[in-house]
Every structure is written in structure tokens, then in C-alpha cells.
Amino acid sequence: MEMRQNRGLCLIFFFFIFLFVVSCVNAEDPYRFFTWNVTYGDIYPLGVKQQGILINGQFPGPKIDSVTNDNLIISVFNSLDEPFLLSWNGLQHRRNSWQDGVYGTNCPIPPGQNFTYVLQVKDQIGSFFYYPSLAFHKAAGGFGGITILSRPGIPVPFPPPAGDYTILAGDWFKKNHTDLKAILDGGNTLPAPDGILINGRGWNGYTFTVNQGSTYRFRISNVGLATSFNFRIQGHKMQLVEVEGSHTLQNTYSSLDVHLGQSYSVLVTADQPAQDYYIVVSSRFTDPVITSTAILHYSNSAGSVSGAPPGGPTTEIDWSLNQARSVRWNLTASGPRPNPQGSYHYGMINTTRTIRVANSAPVINGKQRYAVNSVSFIPADTPLKIADYFKISGVFNLGSIPDNPNGGGGYLQTSVMAADFRAFIEIVFENSENTVQSWHVDGYAFFVVGMDGGQWSSNSRLSYNLRDTVARSTVQVYPMSWTAIYVALDNVGMWNIRSEDWARQYLGQQFYLRVYSPANSWRDEYPIPKNALLCGRAAGRKTRPL
Ligand SMILES: *[C@@H]1O[C@H](CO)[C@@H](O)[C@H](O)[C@H]1NC(C)=O
Ligand SMILES: *[C@@H]1O[C@H](CO)[C@@H](O)[C@H](O)[C@H]1NC(C)=O
Ligand SMILES: *[C@@H]1O[C@H](CO)[C@@H](O)[C@H](O)[C@H]1NC(C)=O
Ligand SMILES: *[C@@H]1O[C@H](CO)[C@@H](O)[C@H](O)[C@H]1NC(C)=O
Ligand SMILES: *[C@@H]1O[C@H](CO)[C@@H](O)[C@H](O)[C@H]1NC(C)=O
């Protein structure tokens, strides 16, 4: 018995050595190995039994703790009865959109099978999360936190906190993901959410313990499907330190708006009388407002939470817009590299192209859809990246989405926009609807140069912040407003640009940006991974020899 266990361990050991040797793309950087089993399991987040998507039995899934440049080897075993993929919100996958894990880049992992992601968190720091990208799986869980710490010796602009806590919060539905998906497939809009979860738990369901006098880092992500939220801690101030990989000016806030898909880090000092306090997450711009709470527990607490949870800001947009504008880059602080963030003068680079992106909610063939410049995205029968690699024609066409809104109705299309490697471009998100939008760009951090009410025009550029805005990967667009970003297209690949409102994303408010280099060189893009799953019209092809 003893012997057999040892032999098993030895085999596992040699398997890892083997992996290490075969995938030595970045041998100088450390490797971290994860083996994840994705299953259905019973969860009771709002008091009723639901079938959740668990990772190694956990909801939310295990947190990934990493350091800049780490290689992450994540073996995902799909024990669900449907195809599955994980994607990584905010990870840039430099030269490697093969690992992005959305349907435009990867074949789904079939039920009962496994796939190993080989990622590198190259030149990144900060707070992110992973999530299931297919079907409507995100409504059932399957998400978890990702933290990337600075390498030893790279200055961090605040003292090491006494603890580092991840808060994954978001709206939650009692209907399961297949029922929600059926509602959308039927051409209808989602019902209102039933509640808000904080780390998978409902009201007062989760406790964070702190020592009086110490300072803690809280990394807050909105992993919900439909709702912006406001975050606050009773009796405590929050010092903002990081937004999706940018070190910020350390402004103090008493509450913070977090839109769909966004991540913020704050420092909180336990400087109040020793008792328990409410941590509050409440929906923004909704009627009614839904609220949930967790507990900030002092280890020497003399009593449980008391009073009502503190209220949030009212529904007005201006407060939120002003707060968004106050989030700035600390120009002298280091990011992932030792040089100051401000040594990259994004405001001095001329843009060579402007893409205007307008969201809309057309009814197409009698069904509710969502669109970008009138095009409502539909998936192809083969992942776009893979079709591109094998030069399989007829899967998508470049130029299948225009660079500007044309005011037309809506039509269905597998929309892919072409872009040149190393171009420096401006994207303007224009929202003429009366709901807040949240846009995410895979593969990049972009500079949020402007945000305002009304219609964008070239004169709007006069108000851009060309000095110290943050670089991030998810940005909100307020109702009847616009948001402008600058992006350096320095990462070759097939990249998803999508609404983080999950019904909108699912029903077509997304497209792909194909950033292309004619060089066909490993310096620009890694070759297709040896273990890439092949499906659709690529089924049966060969990746490359082992
Ligand atoms: C995953 O979990 C299920 C349920 O516990 C189990 O039956 C299965 O063997 C596990 N698979 C792996 C690869 O660990
Ligand atoms: C699936 O897991 C096995 C080990 O259990 C491994 O040999 C194989 O390479 C994995 N498949 C993929 C596609 O990663
Ligand atoms: C979702 O709930 C419906 C009943 O409302 C049930 O028929 C279906 O099997 C459930 N799906 C999952 C994946 O639990
Ligand atoms: C900016 O970062 C520097 C470290 O480079 C730090 O000393 C300073 O306090 C930070 N400034 C603000 C306003 O957060
Ligand atoms: C940007 O464009 C202006 C004029 O259009 C030109 O004078 C300037 O040199 C350009 N800057 C760079 C860095 O190319």
C-alpha cells in the first residue's frame, strides 16, 4: 500500500518535470501548477438549493495567487455534461491569444475531457478574476479571483498590508443558468436579479477578520451579470491603491462604484472601536436598490454589527462620473516594472485611427438582440483564431463590422474587425441608451482618456486627460454618454471586445479585433499550442509536431 502511493507520487512528479521540459518557453520565470475539476454541486446562496458550477468543490472557485511573469499551468477537467471554457478577465496573454479561453479563440472542452492552459502573467500586476465564458455558465458560478503581486525588488507604493482579501461580488438569480439562457434564446430580456452575493454568500454570510490597528488590502471585483454596484464599509474609509493593474493616486473614498467586470483594490485600516461592522454591496441605478452585506470582524470585537447598514449614494449619474474622473495614475509609482508608470507618455502619441462603437438593442427576427454598430455578433462554427491559423475560409470576414455607427437597424453577423500590430488607436464608446454600459477589451490595458454626457464629437478631445488617467481593461459608459480610450495595439492576436453585461454579451454586443502582424514570427505571436483542442471545420487537423 505504502509502496503504491509512493509510486503514484513519483509518477505525478515525473509528469510535472515532463511538462516543465516540454513547455520551456519562459524557463527563467517560475511555474505554478493547478489541477481543477469542474463539477455541478448544490449551493444555497440565497437560501434555496441551486445547482452551482464548482471548481474543486468550491464556489467561488480557488483563488490564483501569482507574481509578475509567473507561468501558470492550469489543467481543467470538465466534469459537467456540457462543453466548458474558462477565460481570464484582465490577463493580457502577451503574444498568446491561444489561451484567452473565449469561443473566438478556443474550442470548448468537451464533457468528460480536459485541457491545460499554459499562461504567463507577463508584465502584469493587480487584481483580476477568471470566469466561465460559454453558454450562460457565469450565472452558476465557476469564477474566482486572480492576484498578481509585484516581483521582489520592484517598489510597491504602499507598505505591505497585514492581509490581502478578495471580494467577488455581484447580482444573483434564483433561476439556474439553463433557464436564464432559455429566456434569452427565446428572445426575451432577463428578469431582475433576486439578490447580491459576496464571495458566494448572501446577507451577513461572509466574515473578514481584522486586527485592530492593522491595514488590509481588499480586492473588489464585480462578477455579476447585470448590475453595477456600490461598495462601502460601515465606519471606515477606503484608500484606493490599484485599478486593474494600475497603481492609482491614493485618494480616500467612503464608497466606491464598481461596474460589471471591474476590479479595484483599496486599503482599509481597522482604526475604529473594536466591534463588528457591515461591509455593504448595493445595486446602482436600479429601482428597487438591492443590498447585501458581509461582516468586518475585529479579532478583539466587543459586539456584533449594530445599526442599519450605511446607505449608498443616490442614483444620480454625476456623482459616479466625478468619482470615475478622480481615479488617476500615480505617475511616480512603479507598475510591474521598476520604471515609473508615468514614463509611458500615452498622451504624446498620435492616434492613427478612431473607432466609434455604439451599442443598441434591436429586435431581430422578432427576438431581443444587442448590437455594436448595428451588428449583432453570432458565433461561428469554428473558433475564429483557429480558423485564421488554418486559413479556413468562410468562417469569418475581416471588415464584417464598420468602424463607425451608421444608425441602421440590426443584423446578425460573425463580426471581426481588422487592425494593424503596433497601431495606436482611439476607441470611442457611444451609449445612446438609458442604461450604464460596461465594455471590456481582452489582451490589453487601455487608457481611459475621457468620459462625459451627450454626443461625442472631435471637440470632445479637448477635454481628454492626456496626462494621468489609469490603464485598465474594463470601462463604464454612462447613460446617454460616451467614454474614449487610447490603446496601443502591441499584442498580436484575436481579441474579444465585449459588453460585460452578460445578457448583452450573450445576445450579440461583442465583436473580435484581429490584431495582425505579417511577420509570422515567434517574437510577435506564439505558434498554436501543441495541445490546442480542434473542433468545427478544424477538427482532425494537426497542431504541430511534439
Ligand atoms: C471530478 O469530481 C467528480 C465528482 O466528485 C469525480 O467523479 C471525478 O472523478 C473527478 N475528476 C477528476 C479528474 O478528478
Ligand atoms: C489531460 O490530462 C492528461 C493527464 O491526466 C494529460 O496527459 C493530457 O495532456 C491532458 N490533455 C490536455 C488536452 O491537456
Ligand atoms: C434548471 O432548472 C430547471 C427547472 O426550472 C431544470 O429543468 C433544469 O434541469 C435545471 N438545469 C440545471 C443545469 O440545473
Ligand atoms: C505615488 O507613489 C509614490 C511612490 O512612488 C508614493 O510615495 C506617493 O505617496 C504616491 N502618491 C499618491 C498621491 O498616492
Ligand atoms: C503628431 O502629429 C503632429 C501633427 O499632426 C506632429 O507635429 C507631431 O510631430 C506628431 N508627433 C509624433 C510623436 O509623431
Side-chain angles (χ1 to χ4, degrees):
M1 192 62 199
E2 185 89 342
M3 280 279 287
R4 215 185 264 164
Q5 255 173 18
N6 278 343
R7 202 182 301 151
L9 281 176
C10 268
L11 278 177
I12 292 172
F13 178 73
F14 278 112
F15 171 67
F16 284 148
I17 294 286
F18 172 71
L19 254 183
F20 185 85
V21 170
V22 295
S23 48
C24 264
V25 181
N26 303 286
E28 70 277 16
D29 296 314
Y31 279 70
R32 288 173 203 263
F33 296 93
F34 303 83
T35 303
W36 285 355
N37 188 5
V38 181
T39 62
Y40 282 128
D42 292 341
I43 55 175
Y44 304 79
L46 292 177
V48 296
K49 183 160 119 178
Q50 292 185 266
Q51 187 163 243
I53 292 180
L54 314 183
I55 298 182
N56 292 353
Q58 298 173 45
F59 167 69
K63 181 157 72 96
I64 295 181
D65 285 310
S66 65
V67 174
T68 303
N69 294 351
D70 279 355
N71 294 289
L72 308 179
I73 314 299
I74 306 168
S75 291
V76 178
F77 288 78
N78 177 12
S79 302
L80 307 180
D81 57 4
E82 40 186 329
F84 184 80
L85 274 179
L86 284 176
S87 185
W88 323 89
N89 229 60
L91 297 196
Q92 289 170 16
H93 310 293
R94 300 201 71 79
R95 297 182 265 180
N96 204 2
S97 68
W98 301 110
Q99 307 295 337
D100 200 25
V102 288
Y103 182 62
T105 60
N106 292 71
C107 293
I109 309 170
Q113 293 189 33
N114 62 301
F115 173 69
T116 302
Y117 292 85
V118 181
L119 319 174
Q120 191 184 22
V121 288
K122 182 79 182 158
D123 284 335
Q124 287 199 265
I125 54 164
S127 314
F128 308 98
F129 63 90
Y130 63 85
Y131 67 95
S133 62
L134 298 183
F136 218 61
H137 290 157
K138 198 181 175 194
F143 45 74
I146 303 174
T147 70
I148 312 175
L149 295 175
S150 299
R151 280 178 292 151
I154 308 284
V156 174
F158 47 90
D164 192 322
Y165 290 127
T166 290
I167 296 189
L168 302 176
D171 51 18
W172 191 260
F173 296 76
K174 288 183 181 169
K175 281 197 181 347
N176 66 31
H177 72 279
T178 47
D179 283 352
L180 292 174
K181 181 172 168 294
I183 290 172
L184 298 176
D185 289 338
N188 302 296
T189 55
L190 282 189
D194 296 297
I196 287 181
L197 302 188
I198 302 174
N199 288 356
R201 310 283 178 80
W203 193 266
N204 286 354
Y206 200 96
T207 298
F208 299 89
T209 300
V210 294
N211 293 327
Q212 197 174 27
S214 295
T215 298
Y216 296 81
R217 181 173 187 169
F218 287 86
R219 302 169 186 259
I220 308 139
S221 294
N222 186 338
V223 295
L225 304 179
T227 322
S228 300
F229 67 63
N230 180 267
F231 178 89
R232 53 200 182 270
I233 304 179
Q234 186 181 29
H236 291 74
K237 296 275 189 225
M238 303 181 285
Q239 199 180 16
L240 186 68
V241 291
E242 180 254 339
V243 173
E244 295 161 20
S246 286
H247 281 139
T248 60
L249 289 187
Q250 293 168 11
N251 298 331
T252 299
Y253 298 94
S254 52
S255 82
L256 203 56
D257 277 353
V258 184
H259 302 277
L260 288 162
Q262 295 186 330
S263 303
Y264 288 85
S265 284
V266 295
L267 297 181
V268 177
T269 300
D271 57 3
Q272 295 299 305
Q275 57 164 82
D276 290 359
Y277 297 89
Y278 284 114
I279 293 175
V280 188
V281 176
S282 62
S283 62
R284 279 294 261 147
F285 318 117
T286 62
D287 186 13
V289 171
I290 50 174
T291 301
S292 192
T293 57
I295 304 290
L296 185 75
H297 170 70
Y298 279 48
S299 55
N300 59 342
S301 173
S304 58
V305 283
S306 60
T314 59
T315 58
E316 61 191 55
I317 298 293
D318 280 353
W319 185 95
S320 193
L321 176 62
N322 285 333
Q323 180 174 80
R325 286 182 178 145
S326 72
V327 175
R328 302 286 178 91
W329 234 13
N330 182 334
L331 297 176
T332 60
S334 301
R337 290 165 179 269
N339 55 319
Q341 295 179 133
S343 58
Y344 186 77
H345 298 282
Y346 68 90
M348 313 262 284
I349 308 172
N350 288 335
T351 56
T352 52
R353 178 175 173 188
T354 296
I355 298 166
R356 292 169 52 216
V357 165
N359 52 280
S360 61
V363 172
I364 303 176
N365 302 332
K367 292 183 169 178
Q368 180 65 59
R369 297 287 305 182
Y370 297 95
V372 187
N373 292 352
S374 304
V375 189
S376 185
F377 180 86
I378 44 170
D381 61 7
T382 308
L384 310 173
K385 180 69 205 159
I386 290 175
D388 206 16
Y389 174 78
F390 288 113
K391 300 189 166 56
I392 301 169
S393 63
V395 175
F396 68 90
N397 290 311
L398 293 173
S400 40
I401 175 169
D403 270 26
N404 292 288
N406 51 21
Y411 56 96
L412 305 175
Q413 179 77 263
T414 302
S415 34
V416 181
M417 189 182 282
D420 296 332
F421 182 40
R422 298 225 167 90
F424 190 81
I425 67 169
E426 174 187 41
I427 301 179
V428 185
F429 296 105
E430 302 182 3
N431 181 16
S432 60
E433 297 187 70
N434 60 8
T435 52
V436 181
Q437 306 292 314
S438 186
W439 283 97
H440 180 86
V441 179
D442 278 0
Y444 295 96
F446 51 72
F447 294 93
V448 183
V449 290
M451 205 183 264
D452 209 347
Q455 172 66 45
W456 179 88
S457 74
S458 55
N459 278 339
S460 307
R461 292 182 177 128
L462 299 174
S463 69
Y464 283 3
N465 176 352
L466 297 180
R467 207 180 85 86
D468 66 350
T469 191
V470 287
R472 64 186 312 174
S473 53
T474 310
V475 73
Q476 70 272 31
V477 191
Y478 292 102
M480 316 301 282
S481 300
W482 55 268
T483 295
I485 65 172
Y486 281 179
V487 202
L489 297 181
D490 55 3
N491 196 9
V492 171
M494 183 72 77
W495 300 112
N496 191 215
I497 298 183
R498 64 173 171 273
S499 172
E500 288 286 311
D501 179 308
W502 224 238
R504 284 178 174 263
Q505 177 271 156
Y506 181 75
L507 291 180
Q509 192 177 324
Q510 58 168 312
F511 63 101
Y512 283 81
L513 188 71
R514 178 189 185 255
V515 179
Y516 179 72
S517 157
N520 192 23
S521 150
W522 275 47
R523 286 189 44 189
D524 292 347
E525 186 178 31
Y526 293 157
I528 190 168
K530 292 184 283 276
N531 68 340
L533 300 173
L534 299 178
C535 57
R537 291 190 236 180
R541 306 252 183 157
K542 294 269 183 301
T543 52
R544 60 192 164 102
L546 272 166

